[in-house]
Amino acid sequence: MKNKDLKYEVTEEKVWIPLKDGTKLAATLYRPKSEKKFPAILQYLPYRKDDSSAVPSKKSHHYFAERGYVGARVDIRGTGSSEGMAENEYVLQEQLDGYEVVEWLAAQEWCTGKVGMWGQSYGGCNPVHLASHNPPSLKAIAPIHFFDDGYTDGDHFEGGCLSKMGLGYYGMMMLAMNGLPPDPSYFEAEAGRWEEMWRKRLEEYVPWVLAWFDHQTLDDFWRVQSLRPDYDAIKCPVLMIGGWGDHFRNSVFRMLEHLTVPKKAIVGPWVHSPPDIAYPGPNIDYFHELLRWWDYWLKGIDNGVMDEPPLAVYVQRNREPHMFADFAEGYWKYEKGWPLEDGMETTYYLHSHGILAEESPTAEHETCDQYQYRPDTGVMGNIWFSQACSLGQEQSLDEAFSLTYTSELLGEDLEILGFPQVKLFAASSAENTTFVVKLTEVNPEGQSNLITYGVLNASHRNSHEDPEALEPGRVYELDIEMAAVSWVFKKGHRIRVSVSSSHWPILWPLPEPAVNQVYRDKAHRSKIVLPIVSPRELSQEPVFMEPVHKPTPNVKAEPVGKPSIKIIRDTINEETIVEVVSPRRVSTLTDRQLTCTRSGAIQQARVSTKDPALASLSVESLFELQYDSGLNVSALGKGVVSSNRKQFFIHLDLNIEVNGEPYFKKSWLKTVPRNFV
């Protein structure tokens, strides 16, 4: 015992978890050095526990094991060191395997029979999926930066539009990562089985990204990885953590509203990264919050965690419009529940001359504003790279190719919390087009700061299952829900709404050139409805501990810098190019002399400003493993996705080298018809 906070020494043990079908999953157990029984806390994901994600695994599981929990980090079937084949992400087999893992942990002699589950991103979605199957021993979960709807809120589609940068970052990263071998230490007693298992996996592997193009609308492929709308399926308590800069934040509020179990949520200003290191600050010691949750639900310690209001949010008052802003001005507060008991709404209507006002339009005849669809609009929004995403930049460049509607100076602060709702009466010259609506705050200097946005592929106006073409020239009533947000518009600032038809490079541009109209007369009252928080005294405020950054046991990691992000206008070829080069990441596991190198992803997204059908995304992702035995393995994944008016073209390459010599190579070519995307 080193001090009063660190109660136990920690041992690490690699084990196999047997499944009913004979497959074995690779697990690392982080156990307190004691004869006592402890609850287990599970992380279950495909990001290779023994090398590429060993650093965060060690950091988190040592923390909880020192405090009286057994941490279990398990590689999903067909990934990392686990046996079998990974059919795709979040599939039913993966969920059923996870059910067995939970019950196996609960049955071990060192376990009290109670299991919790947590994780971030993929590791945050899996607790939600597993909890919906109700393993008897799963007593509480804590998902972080997760989604409840795999179609609308995952990395694949948004508002019925194909996710371009999510496709590149996640799809191509997994192409390379899934080509790496199992950890040799699991096979020391079985000569030859290590390479046999690796070879079989390489030969049978089908890149996950290929299937996504076969499911361009909402169908059972996506429903399997979605909790929504069956929230009653979850029977155990849920602690959720989200961030205003994260693209998964909507799920927190939907689950708060619809779950019928004990529930809590913390939403800070962060992007898709752990809350103790994510930007913008302030950061919190989220391990401490998880520990309080586990102590209450897995150990029965009445520490007051459930006496606090269920929702803690960081209210943003300002944030520098910079990709990597360090800090968001604001404050923490509690809310008694969700939806807000005293929540109100304020409606602003779109008027002529770019005016946004609370008065309703009065013109009897049809009046509209018109703009031309420019497919590279959106470059000042957030951009994905290998670890997270950037924040939005100052919006003037995008607004130059958008319709903008701006309010008068605000006479007092205006606080919003929730989902702004937009109703557009709109028409297009095309049979399909996208409508992108952004909400910004304009300061006295004229800078426009992105607050939130909403997207609708107009062919999805009635459903995501069955898209319908537009009748060119016909006026449609379109409902667009913007992403959830907490923000205070300051006195003396202005509110702005902008409308365009592209959110590139986040979303793949639709192929038809278009001239679009937004109507704003008495019969067509285009508007935005803001969820207003009524002024009130804060009787209790959340208090979070500041992060404590300690060295991770047996790990040497080089500092990771920021990516290089370039926006290039090629005026000769009439293209706009966004190039993202992620920083190189290097870590060494000193207890076994394994060096893991990831060169991140090099992404280049291109779109023709002359013909929006001509777009492409090229990505390279490299992983290298250097073992103390002298074995060196590298996996290079390359992918190019391009489009014309009618089709997508996918070309993927996986190249494996061992000790600098070619070991395995495979290519995949696929052409898929565009289905309203």
Side-chain angles (χ1 to χ4, degrees):
M1 184 183 302
K2 296 183 179 180
N3 61 49
K4 65 178 182 180
D5 192 38
L6 303 181
K7 298 180 179 179
Y8 298 99
E9 294 182 20
V10 179
T11 63
E12 295 184 26
E13 179 186 6
K14 291 182 179 179
V15 300
W16 290 110
I17 298 180
L19 302 177
K20 293 177 182 177
D21 68 357
T23 303
K24 293 184 293 184
L25 302 186
T28 299
L29 302 180
Y30 299 80
R31 294 177 55 187
K33 200 170 183 180
S34 169
E35 298 300 318
K36 297 180 182 178
K37 292 188 175 185
F38 301 97
I41 302 175
L42 170 64
Q43 278 192 307
Y44 177 62
L45 59 164
Y47 296 153
R48 302 186 57 85
K49 69 181 181 64
D50 295 311
D51 41 64
S52 64
S53 67
V55 175
S57 289
K58 286 176 175 287
K59 175 182 176 181
S60 59
H61 287 297
H62 270 264
Y63 177 93
F64 295 119
E66 287 168 345
R67 291 157 177 80
Y69 292 89
V70 175
R73 176 71 157 77
V74 180
D75 284 336
I76 285 167
R77 176 190 295 251
T79 71
S81 300
S82 287
E83 295 180 345
M85 287 301 301
E87 177 188 345
N88 212 291
E89 53 176 2
Y90 308 117
V91 295
L92 181 59
Q93 182 66 61
E94 174 184 308
Q95 299 173 31
L96 298 178
D97 290 350
Y99 185 111
E100 291 190 52
V101 169
V102 168
E103 294 308 308
W104 183 89
L105 292 171
Q108 300 310 298
E109 61 180 5
W110 42 258
C111 186
T112 61
K114 294 183 178 182
V115 179
M117 191 172 179
W118 76 287
Q120 176 186 301
S121 194
Y122 200 119
C125 297
N126 262 326
V128 175
H129 298 153
L130 262 66
S132 71
H133 294 279
N134 289 300
S137 303
L138 186 60
K139 302 303 181 182
I141 63 173
I144 302 170
H145 298 326
F146 65 99
F147 62 75
D148 65 346
D149 189 315
Y151 182 77
T152 64
D153 287 58
D155 294 324
H156 317 100
F157 293 88
E158 183 177 354
C161 297
L162 176 66
S163 173
K164 190 169 191 174
M165 295 302 272
L167 167 74
Y169 153 63
Y170 184 70
M172 305 309 172
M173 179 191 74
M174 293 310 300
L175 170 64
M177 185 182 288
N178 283 341
L180 292 170
D183 185 71
S185 65
Y186 273 92
F187 303 91
E188 291 174 348
E190 302 174 89
R193 198 166 87 82
W194 170 81
E195 187 170 11
E196 177 186 338
M197 178 175 159
W198 184 25
R199 265 285 177 184
K200 178 178 174 60
R201 182 185 297 180
L202 288 172
E203 289 167 358
E204 297 182 6
Y205 175 62
V206 177
W208 296 352
V209 68
L210 294 176
W212 304 348
F213 286 91
D214 294 329
H215 302 275
Q216 297 174 34
T217 58
L218 175 58
D219 59 15
D220 288 343
F221 180 85
W222 303 112
R223 292 189 184 97
V224 167
Q225 54 183 266
S226 303
L227 174 66
R228 188 186 190 190
D230 190 18
Y231 295 98
D232 288 340
I234 290 186
K235 307 298 183 185
C236 68
V238 183
L239 168 65
M240 296 167 279
I241 299 180
W244 297 125
D246 180 44
H247 59 301
F248 292 162
R249 61 188 181 270
N250 296 338
S251 303
V252 174
F253 294 92
R254 287 196 295 258
M255 288 179 62
L256 268 181
E257 179 175 1
H258 296 293
L259 289 176
T260 56
V261 296
K263 55 201 174 186
K264 288 177 63 71
I266 301 169
V267 185
W270 316 297
V271 298
H272 193 75
S273 293
D276 59 343
I277 60 173
Y279 52 85
N283 299 114
I284 67 170
D285 182 354
Y286 75 106
F287 284 173
H288 178 72
E289 299 306 314
L290 294 177
L291 182 66
R292 297 174 69 221
W293 185 250
W294 303 134
D295 281 351
Y296 186 89
W297 290 108
L298 301 184
K299 290 185 175 179
I301 299 173
D302 189 2
N303 53 18
V305 68
M306 295 308 295
D307 298 329
E308 300 162 356
L311 175 59
V313 297
Y314 189 76
V315 181
Q316 301 174 104
R317 287 183 54 85
N318 186 41
R319 186 185 65 237
E320 182 185 1
H322 186 277
M323 283 187 169
F324 305 104
D326 291 327
F327 190 81
E329 176 189 334
Y331 56 91
W332 286 100
K333 74 169 183 177
Y334 279 127
E335 293 290 353
K336 296 179 181 178
W338 189 262
L340 299 179
E341 294 179 359
D342 57 351
M344 303 184 298
E345 293 180 344
T346 292
T347 301
Y348 284 86
Y349 294 91
L350 279 53
H351 288 267
S352 60
H353 307 297
I355 293 173
L356 185 70
E358 294 183 68
E359 296 78 18
S360 179
T362 57
E364 296 289 346
H365 61 285
E366 286 190 352
T367 59
C368 68
D369 295 313
Q370 181 171 290
Y371 67 97
Q372 185 171 350
Y373 162 37
R374 179 167 170 132
D376 62 346
T377 305
V379 291
M380 307 311 289
N382 55 347
I383 293 177
W384 272 99
F385 57 97
S386 65
Q387 286 180 282
C389 58
S390 72
L391 298 163
Q393 303 175 74
E394 203 278 324
Q395 294 295 299
S396 296
L397 183 60
D398 282 343
E399 290 172 352
F401 303 104
S402 310
L403 298 179
T404 60
Y405 302 88
T406 309
S407 74
E408 296 290 333
L409 295 175
L410 293 174
E412 58 184 14
D413 286 355
L414 181 69
E415 181 183 347
I416 63 172
L417 174 60
F419 298 88
Q421 304 289 327
V422 174
K423 186 180 290 293
L424 287 185
F425 290 90
S428 178
S429 64
E431 292 187 350
N432 193 22
T433 196
T434 299
F435 288 94
V436 180
V437 184
K438 294 180 180 178
L439 176 65
T440 67
E441 180 179 34
V442 183
N443 66 21
E445 290 74 39
Q447 289 183 315
S448 184
N449 196 356
L450 180 62
I451 309 305
T452 187
Y453 70 91
V455 176
L456 179 65
N457 176 332
S459 68
H460 287 236
R461 62 194 178 277
N462 294 321
S463 79
H464 290 304
E465 290 90 347
D466 299 300
E468 303 170 74
L470 299 171
E471 179 185 329
R474 178 181 170 183
V475 180
Y476 291 90
E477 182 178 341
L478 305 176
D479 293 308
I480 303 173
E481 182 178 79
M482 305 182 96
V485 68
S486 173
W487 194 270
V488 176
F489 292 93
K490 292 185 177 182
K491 176 182 177 180
H493 290 206
R494 302 175 191 267
I495 300 170
R496 177 172 291 166
V497 171
S498 67
V499 182
S500 69
S501 289
S502 175
H503 193 45
W504 186 86
I506 291 294
L507 302 178
W508 205 282
L510 293 185
E512 285 187 80
V515 176
N516 297 332
Q517 296 87 30
V518 173
Y519 286 78
R520 42 165 183 74
D521 51 70
K522 189 174 182 180
H524 306 96
R525 299 179 180 181
S526 295
K527 62 184 179 181
I528 184 170
V529 180
L530 299 179
I532 302 299
V533 179
S534 57
R536 61 183 186 273
E537 298 237 350
L538 300 178
S539 57
Q540 185 182 8
E541 296 181 22
V543 178
F544 296 108
M545 294 180 61
E546 293 187 4
V548 177
H549 299 293
K550 297 171 54 181
T552 303
N554 302 317
V555 166
K556 179 182 178 182
E558 296 182 8
V560 179
K562 292 183 172 62
S564 165
I565 300 178
K566 297 178 181 178
I567 301 171
I568 304 164
R569 305 282 194 186
D570 185 339
T571 57
I572 301 299
N573 295 308
E574 297 183 87
E575 280 189 322
T576 299
I577 304 160
V578 173
E579 183 180 270
V580 182
V581 180
S582 298
R584 187 168 180 263
R585 300 171 61 189
V586 181
S587 60
T588 301
L589 307 181
T590 57
D591 56 344
R592 49 188 296 218
Q593 290 304 311
L594 168 61
T595 298
C596 317
T597 301
R598 178 180 171 195
S599 293
I602 302 172
Q603 306 182 60
Q604 190 176 86
R606 312 174 77 100
V607 65
S608 167
T609 56
K610 186 177 181 180
D611 183 354
L614 304 180
S616 68
L617 175 67
S618 61
V619 184
E620 291 187 12
S621 186
L622 175 68
F623 289 85
E624 295 179 305
L625 302 177
Q626 301 175 10
Y627 297 91
D628 56 359
S629 64
L631 174 68
N632 295 333
V633 178
S634 70
L636 175 64
K638 293 184 178 182
V640 178
V641 180
S642 60
S643 64
N644 61 18
R645 184 69 63 93
K646 295 184 179 296
Q647 296 170 311
F648 289 108
F649 307 94
I650 304 109
H651 180 185
L652 307 178
D653 292 299
L654 177 62
N655 293 277
I656 308 295
E657 291 187 356
V658 174
N659 296 333
E661 297 295 328
Y663 180 81
F664 180 86
K665 183 175 182 179
K666 192 170 183 178
S667 297
W668 295 265
L669 297 172
K670 187 168 186 171
T671 300
V672 185
R674 298 181 75 149
N675 185 12
F676 289 96
V677 297

